Structure formats: C-alpha cells, structure tokens
Amino acid sequence: MFNNGIVQPLWYNGPSPGQFYNFPGYANNGNMKQCHETNNSDSTRSTAMITTGSSVLGIKFDQGVLIAADTLVSYGSLSRFQNIDRIFKINDNIIMGGGGDFADIQSIMRSIDQKMIEDQCYADNIAMRPKALATWMTRVLYNRRSRMNPLFIDVVIGGIDENNEPYLANVDLRGRAFSDYVVSTGFARHLALPLVREKKPADRDFTLEEASELIRQCMEVLYYRDTKNSSQYTVGVCKVKDSTSNQCDVEGPFQVDEKWSFAKMVKGY
Amino acid sequence: MSNGYDLSASQFSPEGRVFQVEYAAKAVERSGTSIGLRGGDGVVLAVEKLVNSPLFENDSGRRIFTVDTNIGMAVAGLTADGYALADIARQEAANHRQQFGSPITVNHMCERISAYMHAYTLFGSARPFGVSITLGGWDEIFGAQLFKIEPSGKSFGYFACASGKGEQQAKTEMEKYKFVDMPLENLVQSAGRIIQLAHNEAKDKGFCFEMGLVGKDTAGLHCINPEPWLSLAVQAGLEALHEEDEDSDD
C-alpha cells in the first residue's frame, strides 16, 4: 500500500469510490450521471413526446390568415385534456398554433409572452410582426436541435406583416421553416394540405368565406381519420381591419358536424 | 465637516451619517424635476427634461420607462444609473411572472428595487445609485399605486411625490390639491402645471415635457407621451405660465 511513503490506489482503471462507473464496452450507461453533468457534448436525453397536441392547419386568404387546431391534448393514446386552446394570440399582428409536445409549447409560449412584454417596454409603438417571430422561432429550434436537446414542437405562425400583407409559416422541431398560403402540422399535412391545394384558385387568393369553409371541411376530415383528433376545435383569425389596425382573435370552440349515419351501411356495424 | 468619513459607503460618520448616500441624494437634487401623481383611476409620471442643446432629438434622453405592461418608472438623478435600474426592474417583473404566473404588483416591485438599491449602500467597493426612482402602476385589484425610492433604498407610497431641482416648488404646488379622486384628465393637466411651475427659466433655458400614464383609460397599459393627454398637459403648462406672467405683471 505504501510505497516510498506515498499512498498507492488499491486498483487502476476501475470504479472510483462514490462515483458512478461507466462499464467499459457500454455506451452511455449510468443515465443518472448525465442528469447531473452539464451537457456540452453527446448526451442522451429522453426526446420522447409525452402530452401531445395533434394537427394544426393554417390557411392564408386575401385579408389575413386563419389557423385552426382541435382542443385535444393527448397522453399517448389517451385523450386526456379535451378542452385546451392550442391557438394563441401573440399580439395584434400575430397568431400561433402549437402542435407536438404540449409542455414544450407552454415553455416556448412563456418565452414569447415575455418577448411581447419587452416589445412593449421599448415604448416605440411598434409591435412585432409574424415574420420576425417565425425567424426567431426557427433560430431557437434549430439551435436546440443542434445541441441534441430539441423542443418537440411543430408550430404554425401567421398574421399580418408590414404593408398589411398576410403571412403564414410553419416551423418544426428541427428548425425547418416554410412559408406558403397553406401550412399544416401532423396528420393535417397528409389529409388537409392536398384538400386545400386542390381548391386553390390559380389566379387569386382565397376569400375569407372560402378559407373558413375549407377549415370546416378539413377539421371534419381530420376528426374522422386522425385517431388523435377530437371533434371540438378553435380557430384563430388575424385579418386587416383598416390601414392601421387588425382584428386578431381566437374564436371558438366550434364543433365538427359529425355524420355517422353511414355507419349503418357498414357491414358488421 | 465630513473629514474623511465620506470616502466610502461602508463608513459611518461619528454622528451616524453615511455621507456617500447623502452625496447620492445631492446628485438627484441636481437633475431635472420628476413628479408622480396618483389619482382615482390612474397614475401620471411627468419629467422636466432639461435640454442643453437644440441639437438633441425630441424624444432622446428619455427618463420615463415602461418596466412591465402596467408599471412605469420615472428617473431623477444620474440617468445612466436609471437605465441600469430600469433593466433590473424589468428582469424582476419577468422573473416574478415566470415563477408565479401572474404580474408583479407595484409594491412588490418597489420592495425589490429598494432592496437592490440599498445593497449598493453597504459596500466600499461600489457607490450608491445616484437616482430617485418614481414607480407608478395601475391594476384592477389595487387600483392606482405610486411609490418613490431614494438612493438610500428608502421607499414610501405616495399620493403625490416630487424629486429633482424643482422638488420644493413642486411640493408646494401639490399640497394645494387633493389628487386621490381626481379623474385622469385633471390629473394630467395638474402634472403639466406642476412641471411648468417647478421649472426655473432663469437658471435652465428651455425644457422638454415627458409623461408616462397608466390607468383604466389606457386599458391598464403604461404609455409614454400618449395623445390626447400629452397635449392636455402641455396646454395646461402653457396656461400656467401665462397666469404666472400675468401675476408678475400686476
């Protein structure tokens, strides 16, 4: 033990007393250790979604944007919270619909709400525009994913940009941003997007009536076909009222007009 | 008089005074007047911005800040110190909102800023803030609230308060009125009057009037220089000036 008066360790390359030990040949074991360490490089955190919001659908029309989402937040396959507003009014120019992990949506909403208060503190009577917020979200989400610690969200951001132009964008958990006259997340991407694109007139924008009707139809289709959708939904509207102000609200909840009468025609019903 | 006991804030004098804090108060006395008035349904903060040069832009040298959606802050003294404290106040408001899910009340904000300013009066390695902070806010539950924090970290709730060069003049004028139930328009006009009367034209040529307003009529949002109230205040100030001229002519 003592060699030339210096205490020698009892063993080499083995576990240190009191420390978690990484057994050789196994990668990333001892998850407890990673909880306590600061994570600058590779770490495996749980990137699973827990409480989730389903699809969000946004449609741009001549005077503004509509963003719709159902009011369900699921817990796996359990329809756990059935009356949750997933459309948010950010300020007089911006509305946002949140899909994906709902805790992450709530977290980013806290940051966004604080951002709007800071905006007000500048006291310059300029409120943030949707493109600015979408750009910011993109950067945040991209940086989070680059650090292997994503916010598991898929959001639709829309509103009235400068020059009273409607703006609509979709930003996802990898920081991929996309702006178009119709955007969606989740199952709506498969079911609703083609439906809306088919109805789009080639030479002009949708009118408010056309856009509303499309929202109604798409919400109906999503309810029938997406198992994680419910029949109740809210719609955010952001449209130009006059040259200086917008009408920006979240309306609802609306109910899908469920038609199950065809069930009797199904064999085995 | 101070004889070596005034070199750092960590020293008491034999009479029990902390001279550095008193000197900080002197810095406040040298600045343009700032006042706060608390009325029935709102609070007005007003500042006499002393303009040294016509080369300045109208809205620069701001001394009134929005620190939360419904709370405003006016600064008298070293404006740069005021900027730093405005930032601290904003952080406090944000932290409170993040932690408790609801906006900070004005009295809590006042306590936090007082504690912060007071901390700088304890150590020899830092100097006290050379500012008097006037905090005004309005909400549904507590109504209009007005507080003033001095460089020592001492704070009081007020019906009306003043700091800066024209403090005495302003206070004399304020004691003539009862602001507690005053409607917002009259409050704003009084603010215009008081600032104008507290302004000493002989010593300081020209000033710029700046105003912060929060109340029921602004939907609980703190606004800086909002119309139509700004015009009302400036108009009331000019009328007060003419009255004074007429009085002195007699």
Side-chain angles (χ1 to χ4, degrees), chain A residues 183-199:
Chain A
V183 294
S184 56
T185 74
F187 257 88
R189 203 169 273 159
H190 301 110
L191 298 171
L193 219 56
L195 205 158
V196 178
R197 283 180 178 159
E198 203 183 24
K199 291 277 168 61

PDB file of all heavy atoms in Angstrom, chain A residues 183-199:
ATOM      1  N   VAL A 183     -50.339  25.862 -44.698  1.00  0.00           N
ATOM      2  CA  VAL A 183     -49.330  25.076 -43.998  1.00  0.00           C
ATOM      3  C   VAL A 183     -50.042  24.264 -42.928  1.00  0.00           C
ATOM      4  O   VAL A 183     -51.126  24.625 -42.469  1.00  0.00           O
ATOM      5  CB  VAL A 183     -48.240  25.938 -43.334  1.00  0.00           C
ATOM      6  CG1 VAL A 183     -47.405  26.655 -44.355  1.00  0.00           C
ATOM      7  CG2 VAL A 183     -48.840  26.894 -42.348  1.00  0.00           C
ATOM      8  N   SER A 184     -49.405  23.166 -42.552  1.00  0.00           N
ATOM      9  CA  SER A 184     -50.046  22.343 -41.534  1.00  0.00           C
ATOM     10  C   SER A 184     -49.016  21.479 -40.837  1.00  0.00           C
ATOM     11  O   SER A 184     -47.882  21.360 -41.285  1.00  0.00           O
ATOM     12  CB  SER A 184     -51.115  21.459 -42.171  1.00  0.00           C
ATOM     13  OG  SER A 184     -50.516  20.694 -43.191  1.00  0.00           O
ATOM     14  N   THR A 185     -49.468  20.890 -39.727  1.00  0.00           N
ATOM     15  CA  THR A 185     -48.582  20.008 -38.973  1.00  0.00           C
ATOM     16  C   THR A 185     -49.303  18.685 -38.759  1.00  0.00           C
ATOM     17  O   THR A 185     -50.522  18.603 -38.880  1.00  0.00           O
ATOM     18  CB  THR A 185     -48.254  20.591 -37.598  1.00  0.00           C
ATOM     19  OG1 THR A 185     -49.407  20.445 -36.758  1.00  0.00           O
ATOM     20  CG2 THR A 185     -47.886  22.046 -37.690  1.00  0.00           C
ATOM     21  N   GLY A 186     -48.533  17.688 -38.428  1.00  0.00           N
ATOM     22  CA  GLY A 186     -49.122  16.404 -38.052  1.00  0.00           C
ATOM     23  C   GLY A 186     -49.896  15.766 -39.204  1.00  0.00           C
ATOM     24  O   GLY A 186     -49.493  15.846 -40.364  1.00  0.00           O
ATOM     25  N   PHE A 187     -51.022  15.166 -38.857  1.00  0.00           N
ATOM     26  CA  PHE A 187     -51.811  14.460 -39.862  1.00  0.00           C
ATOM     27  C   PHE A 187     -52.422  15.393 -40.888  1.00  0.00           C
ATOM     28  O   PHE A 187     -52.704  14.989 -42.015  1.00  0.00           O
ATOM     29  CB  PHE A 187     -52.919  13.640 -39.185  1.00  0.00           C
ATOM     30  CG  PHE A 187     -52.592  12.183 -39.134  1.00  0.00           C
ATOM     31  CD1 PHE A 187     -51.878  11.660 -38.068  1.00  0.00           C
ATOM     32  CD2 PHE A 187     -52.957  11.342 -40.177  1.00  0.00           C
ATOM     33  CE1 PHE A 187     -51.543  10.326 -38.039  1.00  0.00           C
ATOM     34  CE2 PHE A 187     -52.623  10.011 -40.147  1.00  0.00           C
ATOM     35  CZ  PHE A 187     -51.922   9.491 -39.083  1.00  0.00           C
ATOM     36  N   ALA A 188     -52.618  16.628 -40.509  1.00  0.00           N
ATOM     37  CA  ALA A 188     -53.188  17.578 -41.461  1.00  0.00           C
ATOM     38  C   ALA A 188     -52.290  17.716 -42.678  1.00  0.00           C
ATOM     39  O   ALA A 188     -52.750  18.043 -43.769  1.00  0.00           O
ATOM     40  CB  ALA A 188     -53.396  18.931 -40.786  1.00  0.00           C
ATOM     41  N   ARG A 189     -51.002  17.481 -42.471  1.00  0.00           N
ATOM     42  CA  ARG A 189     -50.080  17.561 -43.595  1.00  0.00           C
ATOM     43  C   ARG A 189     -50.452  16.548 -44.660  1.00  0.00           C
ATOM     44  O   ARG A 189     -50.322  16.790 -45.855  1.00  0.00           O
ATOM     45  CB  ARG A 189     -48.661  17.306 -43.097  1.00  0.00           C
ATOM     46  CG  ARG A 189     -47.586  17.873 -43.968  1.00  0.00           C
ATOM     47  CD  ARG A 189     -46.248  17.800 -43.276  1.00  0.00           C
ATOM     48  NE  ARG A 189     -46.009  18.972 -42.436  1.00  0.00           N
ATOM     49  CZ  ARG A 189     -45.142  19.000 -41.424  1.00  0.00           C
ATOM     50  NH1 ARG A 189     -44.491  17.908 -41.083  1.00  0.00           N
ATOM     51  NH2 ARG A 189     -44.972  20.093 -40.741  1.00  0.00           N
ATOM     52  N   HIS A 190     -50.919  15.389 -44.233  1.00  0.00           N
ATOM     53  CA  HIS A 190     -51.280  14.349 -45.207  1.00  0.00           C
ATOM     54  C   HIS A 190     -52.700  14.480 -45.704  1.00  0.00           C
ATOM     55  O   HIS A 190     -52.991  14.178 -46.857  1.00  0.00           O
ATOM     56  CB  HIS A 190     -51.116  12.959 -44.562  1.00  0.00           C
ATOM     57  CG  HIS A 190     -49.716  12.712 -44.102  1.00  0.00           C
ATOM     58  ND1 HIS A 190     -49.375  12.647 -42.765  1.00  0.00           N
ATOM     59  CD2 HIS A 190     -48.572  12.528 -44.780  1.00  0.00           C
ATOM     60  CE1 HIS A 190     -48.076  12.418 -42.652  1.00  0.00           C
ATOM     61  NE2 HIS A 190     -47.561  12.345 -43.859  1.00  0.00           N
ATOM     62  N   LEU A 191     -53.602  14.894 -44.794  1.00  0.00           N
ATOM     63  CA  LEU A 191     -55.025  14.863 -45.131  1.00  0.00           C
ATOM     64  C   LEU A 191     -55.549  16.205 -45.608  1.00  0.00           C
ATOM     65  O   LEU A 191     -56.330  16.276 -46.548  1.00  0.00           O
ATOM     66  CB  LEU A 191     -55.836  14.410 -43.909  1.00  0.00           C
ATOM     67  CG  LEU A 191     -55.505  12.994 -43.403  1.00  0.00           C
ATOM     68  CD1 LEU A 191     -56.196  12.741 -42.077  1.00  0.00           C
ATOM     69  CD2 LEU A 191     -55.911  11.954 -44.410  1.00  0.00           C
ATOM     70  N   ALA A 192     -55.147  17.276 -44.932  1.00  0.00           N
ATOM     71  CA  ALA A 192     -55.763  18.571 -45.214  1.00  0.00           C
ATOM     72  C   ALA A 192     -55.042  19.329 -46.316  1.00  0.00           C
ATOM     73  O   ALA A 192     -55.665  20.010 -47.131  1.00  0.00           O
ATOM     74  CB  ALA A 192     -55.798  19.414 -43.937  1.00  0.00           C
ATOM     75  N   LEU A 193     -53.724  19.232 -46.338  1.00  0.00           N
ATOM     76  CA  LEU A 193     -52.936  20.008 -47.304  1.00  0.00           C
ATOM     77  C   LEU A 193     -53.351  19.744 -48.753  1.00  0.00           C
ATOM     78  O   LEU A 193     -53.607  20.685 -49.507  1.00  0.00           O
ATOM     79  CB  LEU A 193     -51.453  19.689 -47.097  1.00  0.00           C
ATOM     80  CG  LEU A 193     -50.471  20.837 -47.228  1.00  0.00           C
ATOM     81  CD1 LEU A 193     -50.814  21.954 -46.301  1.00  0.00           C
ATOM     82  CD2 LEU A 193     -49.057  20.348 -46.923  1.00  0.00           C
ATOM     83  N   PRO A 194     -53.474  18.474 -49.152  1.00  0.00           N
ATOM     84  CA  PRO A 194     -53.886  18.221 -50.546  1.00  0.00           C
ATOM     85  C   PRO A 194     -55.293  18.753 -50.826  1.00  0.00           C
ATOM     86  O   PRO A 194     -55.581  19.252 -51.910  1.00  0.00           O
ATOM     87  CB  PRO A 194     -53.858  16.697 -50.663  1.00  0.00           C
ATOM     88  CG  PRO A 194     -53.057  16.227 -49.519  1.00  0.00           C
ATOM     89  CD  PRO A 194     -53.218  17.220 -48.441  1.00  0.00           C
ATOM     90  N   LEU A 195     -56.161  18.656 -49.804  1.00  0.00           N
ATOM     91  CA  LEU A 195     -57.537  19.120 -49.955  1.00  0.00           C
ATOM     92  C   LEU A 195     -57.556  20.609 -50.259  1.00  0.00           C
ATOM     93  O   LEU A 195     -58.238  21.082 -51.180  1.00  0.00           O
ATOM     94  CB  LEU A 195     -58.291  18.833 -48.653  1.00  0.00           C
ATOM     95  CG  LEU A 195     -59.803  18.660 -48.672  1.00  0.00           C
ATOM     96  CD1 LEU A 195     -60.215  17.875 -47.437  1.00  0.00           C
ATOM     97  CD2 LEU A 195     -60.533  19.978 -48.689  1.00  0.00           C
ATOM     98  N   VAL A 196     -56.791  21.380 -49.517  1.00  0.00           N
ATOM     99  CA  VAL A 196     -56.769  22.835 -49.694  1.00  0.00           C
ATOM    100  C   VAL A 196     -56.088  23.204 -51.002  1.00  0.00           C
ATOM    101  O   VAL A 196     -56.550  24.081 -51.744  1.00  0.00           O
ATOM    102  CB  VAL A 196     -56.053  23.517 -48.515  1.00  0.00           C
ATOM    103  CG1 VAL A 196     -55.975  25.008 -48.718  1.00  0.00           C
ATOM    104  CG2 VAL A 196     -56.771  23.205 -47.212  1.00  0.00           C
ATOM    105  N   ARG A 197     -54.988  22.499 -51.296  1.00  0.00           N
ATOM    106  CA  ARG A 197     -54.256  22.841 -52.532  1.00  0.00           C
ATOM    107  C   ARG A 197     -55.106  22.614 -53.766  1.00  0.00           C
ATOM    108  O   ARG A 197     -55.025  23.353 -54.737  1.00  0.00           O
ATOM    109  CB  ARG A 197     -52.983  22.001 -52.611  1.00  0.00           C
ATOM    110  CG  ARG A 197     -51.905  22.537 -51.701  1.00  0.00           C
ATOM    111  CD  ARG A 197     -50.642  21.723 -51.780  1.00  0.00           C
ATOM    112  NE  ARG A 197     -49.614  22.290 -50.920  1.00  0.00           N
ATOM    113  CZ  ARG A 197     -48.577  21.609 -50.468  1.00  0.00           C
ATOM    114  NH1 ARG A 197     -48.441  20.334 -50.779  1.00  0.00           N
ATOM    115  NH2 ARG A 197     -47.681  22.189 -49.712  1.00  0.00           N
ATOM    116  N   GLU A 198     -55.963  21.604 -53.690  1.00  0.00           N
ATOM    117  CA  GLU A 198     -56.826  21.313 -54.835  1.00  0.00           C
ATOM    118  C   GLU A 198     -57.831  22.436 -55.063  1.00  0.00           C
ATOM    119  O   GLU A 198     -58.189  22.757 -56.188  1.00  0.00           O
ATOM    120  CB  GLU A 198     -57.573  20.010 -54.569  1.00  0.00           C
ATOM    121  CG  GLU A 198     -58.030  19.332 -55.831  1.00  0.00           C
ATOM    122  CD  GLU A 198     -58.826  18.077 -55.513  1.00  0.00           C
ATOM    123  OE1 GLU A 198     -59.390  17.998 -54.403  1.00  0.00           O
ATOM    124  OE2 GLU A 198     -58.891  17.198 -56.370  1.00  0.00           O
ATOM    125  N   LYS A 199     -58.292  23.025 -53.942  1.00  0.00           N
ATOM    126  CA  LYS A 199     -59.334  24.044 -54.047  1.00  0.00           C
ATOM    127  C   LYS A 199     -58.788  25.434 -54.334  1.00  0.00           C
ATOM    128  O   LYS A 199     -59.540  26.388 -54.461  1.00  0.00           O
ATOM    129  CB  LYS A 199     -60.133  24.096 -52.728  1.00  0.00           C
ATOM    130  CG  LYS A 199     -60.982  22.876 -52.470  1.00  0.00           C
ATOM    131  CD  LYS A 199     -62.289  22.983 -53.208  1.00  0.00           C
ATOM    132  CE  LYS A 199     -63.067  21.679 -53.245  1.00  0.00           C
ATOM    133  NZ  LYS A 199     -63.436  21.168 -51.933  1.00  0.00           N
TER     134      LYS A 199
END
